[in-house]
Amino acid sequence: MENKKNIIEKSYNASSTEQKIYDFWENNKFFKFDEKSKKKVYTIVMPPPNITGALHMGHALDLTLQDLVARYKRMTGYEILWIPGTDHAALSTEAKVVEMLKKRGVSKTKLGYEKFMEECLAWKNKYGNKITQQIRKLGASCDWSLERFTLDKGCSKAVNEFFVRLYNKKLIYRGKRIVNWCPNCNTSISDIEVDFKESESELVYLKYFLHNDAKKFLVVATTRPETIFGDVAVAVNPSDERYQNFIGKEVIVPISGHKIKVIADEYVDKNFGTGVLKVTPAHDFADFEIGQRHNLENVNIINKNGTLNEKCGNYSGLITSKARKTIIDELESKNLLVKKEKIKNNVGKCSRCNCTIEPLISTQWFLKMESLAKPAIKVVEDKSINFVPERFSKIYMHWMNNIKDWCISRQIWWGHRIPAYYCKDCEHITVSPNKIDFCEKCKSKNIFQDNDSLDTWFSSALWPFSVLGWPEIPEKFLRCYPTDLVITGYDIIFFWIARMIFSSIELTGKIPFKNVVIHGLVRDAQGRKMSKSLGNGIDPIEIIEKYGVDALRLTLVTGLTLGNDTRFSEKKIEGSRNFINKIWNAARFLKISNENIISKIEFENLSIYDKWMLNKLSNTIQEIQKNMEKFEFGMTIQKIHSLFWDDFCDWYIEFSKIDFKNNLSNLNTCCYVLCEILKILHPFIPFVTEKIWSFFNNNALAISNYPEFNSNFNYEQDSKCVENIIAIIRAIRIKRNEMNTPHNKKINIFISTKFEDLITKNSDKIKKIADVNNIYINKKINDDKILTCALDFANIMIPLQDLTNQDELNLKLKKELEDLRIRIDKNKNLLQNKNFIEKAPTDVVENIKNNLNSDEKKYSVLLNRFNPEPKN
RNA sequence: GGGAGCAUAGCUCAGUUGGUUAGAGCGCUUGCUUUACACGCAAGAGGUCACAGGUUCGAAUCCUGUUGUUCCCACCA
C-alpha cells in the first residue's frame, strides 16, 4: 500500500509542476504555428500588454479567455495562429523613464534624444521580458517564435506606411487647432484620454462695461475668470430679448481693458448664468467653434506648462489655478464682480496623470475621421464583425457615429517619430516612409524631421495585420487575415477595437477580425475596482505562486458572464482549489485501486452504470461544445463541474467501488470517462489535466483532441434503470436522515415494485450505498409501524423499529401531503384547460400527465401509510 | 442632456430560443473520519425572481410604465 501511494502524491503541488509542463510544451513546439499545415487556420489577436508594469488581474482574465479558445480550437482540429507581443505604451513608458532618470538626477532634455531612447529601450528589455514570462506563467499557448513589439521594425514600417498613405489621401493633416493639453505630461492628448470628473467650482459674475457708455454693462458668468485676457467676444443668444440692444456693440474686458464685440450665437443658453458668454476660443472647445463661425482671432494666453503667458500683465507666470484666485480678489476690489456662487461642473482630467487639462491652441497632426468611420460602421451593422455580447455593437456604433478627428501627435520622444520633414528653405513638408535628407520640392538639404511622435494607439490600431507582415502581403497574411477573434475588456473598445476596424478597412480592404469578445473588469471582493491608490489590487502572480495558475484560471472563468464585471477573492479561489483537488484525488483513487488501469472501453462488458455514465458524458460533451462555440465559458465550466462532481464522483465512482478490485473492465471505463473529462477541462486548467493525463498514458504529456458526441453511448434505457436505482437510494437516505439514523446503523427495507428483477440484481449497490442490511422485494411486512416512501415505480417501506423518533414524522408527512395536493390540483386544472392541451407541445402535456399520475399514486400511498400492504 | 446594463436564497451570481417542483458556490443547520478527497460525504433550512400593468394556455424569461442602482457618452460657459 505504501508503494502504491507513491504512484500519485497525496495532493497536487501546482508550483513545482507548472513551469516544467510549460517548458515541455514550448520546447516541443506545441504552440508553434505550422505554415505548411493543411488544417483550417484559427487566428487570435493578442492585445499586447504595456511594458510599463506587471500583468494585473485584468490581463489574467483576458489571456485566460484567449488561451481557452486557443486550446479548444487547437483540440478541435484547427491550426492556431496566436502571436504574442508587447506594447511600447508611449506616454506611460516615457513618464516612467523620466521618473526613473529623475531619481538619478538626470533630466530628459539634458540626456538628449538618442540617449533617452536608449534608456527607454533598456526599460523595454527589462520589463517587456518580465511580462512575457508572466504571460507564460498564465499558460498562454501562443507562438513565441513570432513574438512582436509595437515599436519593432515591422510595426514601424507599417506605421510609416499608414501615415504616408493617409497623408497623401489628405486624411492626415497638420493644423493649428484647439487640443487637450496636459501641462504635467507636457503633451497633447486625444479626446478619449480625457476623463471628466465632477468637481465643485465657483461661478463668478463679472461686469463688462459698454464702450462709450460707462453706465451700462453686461454681466458675464464664468468659472474661468483667469482666461479673460484671451476673450475675443461676448456672445448672447440671438433670440434673447434682454440683450438685443447690445449686439454689435463693444464692451471692455475687466482688468485687461481690451475692447471686444458683442456677438449673437445660437450656442448660448439663455437660461445659464446671465445668458451672456465670454468667448475665449483658444482655451475652450465650444468657444473655439464659436470663434470659427464668427471669424474671431484665437488669443492664446496659457503656456504649455499651465502658466499664464506674457499677454496677461501682472498675472503672467502664474499657474492658472493660482491666477484665478488672485484675479477674483482684484475684480472684487475694483467692484467688477457682481457675485460668486458654488456650482458643480465637470472638469477634464488627464487619464494618465489626473492633472487638469488645459485646452489650448497648438499645431498638431490629425486623422480625419468622417470617411474612415463610414465603412467601419457598415461592417458592424451588417454583422461582418460580430460583437459578443451583442449590445457592445451599439456602444461602438454610437461612438463611431459621433466621432471627431483624432489628434495623433504627441510631444514626447518614446514612440513612432512622425515621418514628416520640414524644409527650412521652401517650407515644404515632405512625408516619407523612409528617412530622407533632402526636400522633395526644392531638393534643399536644409531639412529636419518632426520632433513629435505618434499616439501609442496609432500603432496598436495596425497590430492585427502589422504582425502578419503588412504592408507586404506574405502567404501568412493571405491565409490568416481577417483574423477570427479578439478578446478584450469593454474599457478599450474605443481606444483599440474601433481604431483597428477603420484602420484595417482603409489599409487592407478587409475587416481585422470576425469576432470581438468583450469581457468586464475584475473587481475586488467588495466589487470595487482594483487600484493602486486603494491598495486593493491582487497580484495574479502571487495567486499563482500560492494556488497554481489552474486555480486562478478556473476562478476567473467560474460564473463568468461576458461583458459583466467579475469579483475576485481568496474565498473564490479556494473553491477552485477544492475542485482541482477533487480531480486529483479521483485520479489517484483510480490509480491506486489498480496500477494497470488504462483508458479503455470493453463494450461487451459494460454494466448499466457504465452505460449511464457514458450516456451522461456524451450528452454533456454535446452541450458544452455548443457553449464553447458561443464563448459561453461560465456555462461550460458549470456543466463540467456538475458532470464530474455529481455524476462521476458522487454516483459513478461510488457505484463502481463495490467491485473495483476484481473488475478491471469497469475500472478502465472509469479511467476512460475521467480522461474524457480531463480533455474537456484541459482548455480551462491545462496544467493539472495534463499532469493527471500522463498517469494514465505512460507518463506521456499532451492532451491533443477534443471529445466528440458519440452516438454509441446513447443508452437511454439502461440509464433510466440507473436513475431508478439512484431514486431508491436517495429516498432511503432522506428517510434515514429524517430519522437521524447514523451512518453505521444498517436498516432493513421492503420494496414493492414491478421492477423486481432490476432491484434484485442491483441490491448490492443499494445495500452498500444506502447502508441497508436486507432488502425484501414484494414481501409482506408484518409490522404496522412503517415509514413509507412512494416513488413513481416503487414503494419503499422501512419498519420503524429500525428507526427512531415518531412525532416529527407526522409533521413532515402532513407537509408532504399538502405539497402533493397543491401540485395535483394545479396539474389537474392545467389538463382541463382546452387551450393548454391544444397549444402546448405534446411532450410538455405528456410530462404533466405523467407527473399527475405518479403524484396521485404517491398521495394515496402516503395516506395509507399505516396500512402498507403491497398492492401489486 | 443622450444611451446601455442590472434588480433572483444571508452573500456572490447562473438561469442558453417563454414550458414540469427557479439553480450553483460560499455561509447556515443536522448527522458522519463509510476502502480517493474533511480542500470530503449525506441530508436540510432559506426565494410572492424590485414594483405595477399587459401579451400568452403558460412569464424570472417577451412588451409598457414606475422605483432603485451601476456604467458609458456628451461637457452649459
Side-chain angles (χ1 to χ4, degrees):
Chain A
M1 199 63 191
E2 275 308 304
N3 287 341
K4 281 185 179 175
K5 273 188 180 168
N6 289 336
I7 296 170
I8 298 184
E9 284 163 32
K10 192 142 189 200
S11 62
Y12 171 57
N13 185 341
S15 56
S16 70
T17 320
E18 288 174 353
Q19 188 62 48
K20 278 183 226 155
I21 293 179
Y22 195 92
D23 289 346
F24 171 83
W25 288 332
E26 201 180 340
N27 294 337
N28 286 279
K29 302 187 164 59
F30 280 14
F31 309 147
K32 190 148 173 37
F33 173 67
D34 178 5
E35 290 200 47
K36 286 171 195 144
S37 163
K38 294 245 161 67
K39 294 178 188 169
K40 268 177 86 178
V41 176
Y42 194 88
T43 310
I44 302 173
V45 179
M46 180 188 288
N50 281 352
I51 53 162
T52 39
L55 255 45
H56 54 67
M57 253 333 151
H59 291 114
L61 173 63
D62 203 49
L63 287 160
T64 295
L65 297 182
Q66 290 171 64
D67 190 52
L68 233 154
V69 177
R71 288 180 190 267
Y72 168 73
K73 288 286 176 185
R74 195 177 287 116
M75 287 173 78
T76 50
Y78 286 86
E79 186 65 32
I80 303 301
L81 177 63
W82 188 22
I83 302 176
T86 46
D87 192 293
H88 69 286
L91 185 51
S92 305
T93 308
E94 175 146 334
K96 292 252 178 189
V97 174
V98 167
E99 195 184 324
M100 178 192 77
L101 291 173
K102 200 174 167 188
K103 279 179 193 156
R104 272 199 249 149
V106 189
S107 84
K108 173 184 153 188
T109 38
K110 219 172 199 176
L111 206 60
Y113 182 82
E114 302 295 334
K115 284 261 166 64
F116 181 77
M117 292 297 271
E118 275 170 31
E119 288 289 346
C120 289
L121 208 60
W123 176 285
K124 184 260 161 184
N125 288 335
K126 188 174 167 194
Y127 291 94
N129 260 342
K130 195 172 147 194
I131 279 172
T132 52
Q133 283 313 316
Q134 292 183 339
I135 296 174
R136 285 179 171 89
K137 262 205 154 104
L138 284 165
S141 61
C142 46
D143 185 349
W144 288 104
S145 71
L146 300 173
E147 184 185 343
R148 295 295 296 274
F149 178 52
T150 52
L151 208 54
D152 65 21
K153 267 190 186 159
C155 289
S156 300
K157 195 174 171 189
V159 163
N160 284 351
E161 187 71 23
F162 183 16
F163 193 96
V164 172
R165 283 199 199 178
L166 273 77
Y167 178 78
N168 290 337
K169 284 180 85 172
K170 300 208 173 354
L171 290 175
I172 284 179
Y173 63 92
R174 191 165 183 255
K176 200 172 185 184
R177 299 194 1 183
I178 187 161
V179 294
N180 300 295
W181 185 269
C182 175
N184 184 42
C185 300
N186 201 33
T187 178
S188 59
I189 56 174
S190 67
D191 295 344
I192 44 175
E193 285 164 300
V194 180
D195 295 332
F196 285 91
K197 286 181 188 149
E198 191 175 89
S199 55
E200 192 148 280
S201 301
E202 206 167 39
L203 186 65
V204 292
Y205 291 73
L206 314 180
K207 293 179 190 169
Y208 283 57
F209 279 96
L210 214 58
H211 183 49
N212 296 331
D213 189 348
K215 282 173 196 160
K216 286 185 181 164
F217 58 86
L218 283 173
V219 178
V220 174
T222 180
T223 51
R224 301 207 58 190
E226 76 279 12
T227 63
I228 52 174
F229 299 102
D231 288 356
V232 295
V234 162
V236 297
N237 193 293
S239 67
D240 196 329
E241 284 163 13
R242 292 171 292 179
Y243 305 119
Q244 290 299 321
N245 294 333
F246 289 86
I247 297 169
K249 298 199 168 142
E250 280 190 319
V251 290
I252 300 164
V253 179
I255 295 180
S256 155
H258 66 284
K259 283 168 264 174
I260 56 176
K261 261 197 173 171
V262 179
I263 59 170
D265 195 284
E266 290 286 353
Y267 171 80
V268 181
D269 180 355
K270 284 188 273 189
N271 300 319
F272 188 90
T274 55
V276 186
L277 172 72
K278 72 186 204 60
V279 182
T280 320
H283 302 292
D284 183 284
F285 281 84
D287 291 10
F288 180 78
E289 286 184 9
I290 297 174
Q292 298 284 96
R293 282 197 286 276
H294 296 268
N295 245 329
L296 302 171
E297 196 193 344
N298 300 322
V299 180
N300 212 339
I301 58 134
I302 298 176
N303 292 314
K304 292 195 167 162
N305 61 7
T307 58
L308 296 185
N309 71 11
E310 72 288 348
K311 291 183 187 131
C312 305
N314 294 336
Y315 295 93
S316 62
L318 283 182
I319 199 106
T320 48
S321 54
K322 176 88 169 113
R324 186 176 311 159
K325 286 183 194 128
T326 326
I327 217 161
I328 290 173
D329 289 345
E330 187 179 341
L331 287 161
E332 218 160 8
S333 68
K334 291 191 171 161
N335 201 22
L336 291 166
L337 191 120
V338 180
K339 63 170 175 174
K340 300 188 276 192
E341 63 186 30
K342 294 252 186 268
I343 58 156
K344 276 184 179 159
N345 69 343
N346 288 324
V347 176
K349 303 277 180 182
C350 171
S351 62
R352 215 201 60 77
C353 71
N354 206 30
C355 174
T356 301
I357 293 300
E358 291 292 351
L360 49 80
I361 304 270
S362 148
T363 302
Q364 302 286 347
W365 289 91
F366 296 90
L367 181 60
K368 211 181 178 101
M369 288 308 307
E370 204 186 342
S371 63
L372 294 174
K374 274 183 193 156
I377 290 164
K378 189 179 163 284
V379 293
V380 173
E381 226 162 36
D382 68 18
K383 300 255 156 107
S384 308
I385 294 178
N386 181 32
F387 275 81
V388 183
E390 213 275 326
R391 71 184 136 96
F392 287 100
S393 62
K394 280 188 222 162
I395 293 169
Y396 166 89
M397 214 78 87
H398 182 258
W399 189 74
M400 269 299 183
N401 277 318
N402 295 289
I403 198 163
K404 290 188 195 146
D405 288 359
W406 174 17
C407 174
I408 52 173
S409 47
R410 298 288 179 273
Q411 288 62 58
I412 57 172
W413 287 346
W414 177 244
H416 299 271
R417 195 162 172 182
I418 291 172
Y421 304 81
Y422 305 99
C423 179
K424 284 183 182 166
D425 294 333
C426 76
E427 293 191 343
H428 179 73
I429 300 172
T430 308
V431 168
S432 159
N434 308 309
K435 205 141 183 81
I436 54 159
D437 48 15
F438 59 89
C439 169
E440 68 180 355
K441 193 176 173 196
C442 73
K443 311 294 175 203
S444 159
K445 290 199 168 174
N446 196 10
I447 62 166
F448 64 97
Q449 186 173 359
D450 196 312
N451 278 320
D452 291 349
S453 60
L454 290 160
D455 184 356
T456 196
W457 296 102
F458 194 86
S459 56
S460 322
L462 317 183
W463 182 252
F465 49 98
S466 63
V467 297
L468 292 175
W470 191 91
E472 257 94 89
I473 309 291
E475 184 64 31
K476 200 194 280 169
F477 178 91
L478 291 172
R479 218 174 141 204
C480 306
Y481 206 79
T483 71
D484 295 276
L485 174 67
V486 64
I487 300 187
T488 193
Y490 59 69
D491 51 332
I492 53 173
I493 293 175
F494 305 142
F495 284 110
W496 194 46
I497 298 294
R499 285 161 173 176
M500 283 190 285
I501 294 174
F502 66 69
S503 307
S504 176
I505 296 171
E506 170 65 22
L507 293 173
T508 71
K510 295 181 181 192
I511 53 170
F513 30 70
K514 294 166 199 153
N515 295 295
V516 183
V517 171
I518 303 288
H519 60 72
L521 271 35
V522 183
R523 295 169 174 274
D524 74 359
Q526 283 97 53
R528 299 172 304 179
K529 255 187 190 171
M530 288 188 186
S531 75
K532 272 183 198 147
S533 54
L534 272 175
N536 63 341
I538 301 174
D539 179 7
I541 304 305
E542 273 175 33
I543 293 288
I544 290 170
E545 271 153 20
K546 198 165 164 192
Y547 296 95
V549 70
D550 287 329
L552 172 66
R553 291 167 60 122
L554 194 60
T555 306
L556 289 168
V557 176
T558 299
L560 181 85
T561 30
L562 286 174
N564 286 1
D565 292 348
T566 46
R567 297 186 183 201
F568 188 91
S569 64
E570 199 100 356
K571 199 100 213 162
K572 258 180 116 176
I573 204 161
E574 274 172 22
S576 306
R577 183 198 54 182
N578 296 353
F579 183 47
I580 290 167
N581 183 255
K582 183 88 176 170
I583 303 164
W584 181 266
N585 272 296
R588 178 168 167 268
F589 180 56
L590 297 188
K591 191 74 180 175
I592 61 180
S593 295
N594 189 330
E595 232 181 294
N596 300 319
I597 188 170
I598 51 167
S599 164
K600 185 184 165 196
I601 296 177
E602 294 169 30
F603 279 94
E604 65 281 7
N605 289 331
L606 292 181
S607 71
I608 56 169
Y609 301 98
D610 296 329
K611 289 175 177 175
W612 172 82
M613 188 66 234
L614 292 169
N615 190 55
K616 286 250 179 207
L617 173 72
S618 189
N619 289 341
T620 305
I621 288 168
Q622 195 177 25
E623 282 177 37
I624 63 168
Q625 271 207 299
K626 284 182 198 152
N627 291 130
M628 288 299 282
E629 293 296 332
K630 290 192 277 184
F631 309 105
E632 292 165 347
F633 309 120
M635 186 62 88
T636 305
I637 203 68
Q638 189 183 312
K639 283 176 183 169
I640 302 177
H641 187 282
S642 158
L643 176 78
F644 170 72
W645 204 305
D646 304 342
D647 300 331
F648 184 74
C649 291
D650 291 348
W651 289 107
Y652 184 55
I653 289 189
E654 292 304 318
F655 281 131
S656 303
K657 262 180 186 174
I658 290 152
D659 41 22
F660 244 18
K661 293 270 150 62
N662 39 27
N663 189 346
L664 189 60
S665 165
N666 172 223
L667 203 53
N668 284 343
T669 311
C670 278
C671 182
Y672 171 83
V673 175
L674 179 67
C675 286
E676 294 295 285
I677 293 174
L678 289 176
K679 288 179 188 170
I680 54 181
L681 278 169
H682 185 246
F684 295 87
I685 45 173
F687 293 96
V688 70
T689 48
E690 189 83 314
K691 180 75 183 170
I692 296 172
W693 173 267
S694 71
F695 298 145
F696 301 108
N697 294 276
N698 299 320
N699 295 319
L701 290 173
I703 295 175
S704 55
N705 65 315
Y706 204 81
E708 275 172 28
F709 172 72
N710 190 335
S711 58
N712 289 333
F713 296 159
N714 189 11
Y715 298 117
E716 291 300 333
Q717 286 293 322
D718 293 304
S719 290
K720 184 68 195 155
C721 290
V722 175
E723 293 295 340
N724 287 342
I725 304 283
I726 289 175
I728 290 170
I729 292 168
R730 280 218 168 102
I732 298 168
R733 279 175 171 174
I734 288 169
K735 293 301 167 195
R736 290 183 62 104
N737 261 290
E738 275 176 9
M739 296 299 108
N740 277 339
T741 318
H743 175 260
N744 53 11
K745 178 162 171 59
K746 307 272 184 206
I747 58 168
N748 292 322
I749 61 165
F750 290 74
I751 303 178
S752 73
T753 179
K754 54 188 173 191
F755 293 142
E756 181 165 0
D757 199 39
L758 174 73
I759 294 168
T760 310
K761 271 188 189 157
N762 293 283
S763 60
D764 59 331
K765 314 276 189 199
I766 299 171
K767 283 180 186 170
K768 178 79 171 71
I769 298 177
D771 298 303
V772 167
N773 201 11
N774 284 310
I775 301 174
Y776 302 100
I777 303 169
N778 295 337
K779 294 264 163 47
K780 244 191 175 163
I781 183 168
N782 294 322
D783 193 333
D784 60 349
K785 291 199 167 178
I786 278 197
L787 191 57
T788 304
C789 183
L791 301 172
D792 54 3
F793 63 93
N795 294 328
I796 300 166
M797 288 144 292
I798 306 171
L800 272 176
Q801 59 184 16
D802 284 340
L803 304 167
T804 48
N805 194 345
Q806 267 218 64
D807 292 340
E808 255 180 72
L809 182 69
N810 289 324
L811 275 174
K812 279 177 181 160
L813 187 78
K814 205 179 154 200
K815 175 95 171 42
E816 212 172 323
L817 280 167
E818 277 168 8
D819 289 350
L820 265 177
R821 190 74 255 166
I822 291 168
R823 257 164 57 195
I824 289 168
D825 292 347
K826 197 178 149 195
N827 284 343
K828 263 188 182 164
N829 280 336
L830 202 52
L831 289 170
Q832 276 160 13
N833 186 332
K834 230 179 160 185
N835 275 322
F836 173 71
I837 304 287
E838 277 167 16
K839 291 180 183 172
T842 46
D843 58 322
V844 173
V845 178
E846 276 309 301
N847 272 331
I848 300 277
K849 276 184 189 163
N850 290 339
N851 286 339
L852 181 62
N853 248 326
S854 77
D855 280 351
E856 279 179 331
K857 255 191 231 165
K858 280 181 205 170
Y859 191 80
S860 70
V861 168
L862 289 180
L863 265 184
N864 294 321
R865 195 188 72 181
F866 292 112
N867 184 17
E869 296 289 317
K871 284 171 187 157
N872 278 8

